[in-house]
Amino acid sequence: ECFNNSSSWFEKALKRIKNSPFFITTNNTFISKKFQYVLNNLKEFFLVVDEVHNFRSSSTRKFFPDNAKYKLGLTATPNRYF
């Protein structure tokens, strides 16, 4: 539910941090400054990333948060050709 303009999800995400930090988002929203702010305010969480092959570059790999207790990456594209 975290996609499109951050005004539609940012405030709800901040409130959820305290209760149930479970978010579904797109890759573009995931790397946005506001969503990274939300993730950085969590103590720990389970991160599931679809199309994780898009995060192999050094420019996107930096967005993987250190506070994710568990990380699961999903892809049907094991080799990145670009």
Side-chain angles (χ1 to χ4, degrees):
E1 57 186 53
C2 298
F3 55 92
N4 290 335
N5 189 320
S6 63
S7 63
S8 66
W9 58 262
F10 186 66
E11 291 300 322
K12 286 191 266 184
L14 290 177
K15 290 177 185 174
R16 273 203 181 167
I17 288 173
K18 297 175 186 169
N19 300 327
S20 61
F22 178 80
F23 304 101
I24 298 172
T25 184
T26 62
N27 288 343
N28 283 341
T29 297
F30 181 81
I31 65 173
S32 71
K33 287 182 181 182
K34 285 195 173 187
F35 195 76
Q36 289 295 307
Y37 175 83
V38 170
L39 291 181
N40 288 326
N41 281 285
L42 295 171
K43 291 183 180 166
E44 60 182 40
F45 56 96
F46 180 22
L47 177 65
V48 179
V49 179
D50 190 19
E51 300 204 26
V52 73
H53 58 274
N54 291 324
F55 286 88
R56 291 192 58 198
S57 72
S58 59
S59 61
T60 54
R61 192 177 309 150
K62 67 183 176 185
F63 293 103
F64 269 73
D66 293 329
N67 54 338
K69 186 171 184 178
Y70 302 101
K71 298 174 186 173
L72 174 64
L74 307 172
T75 185
T77 310
N79 297 312
R80 190 168 183 249
Y81 295 103
F82 50 90

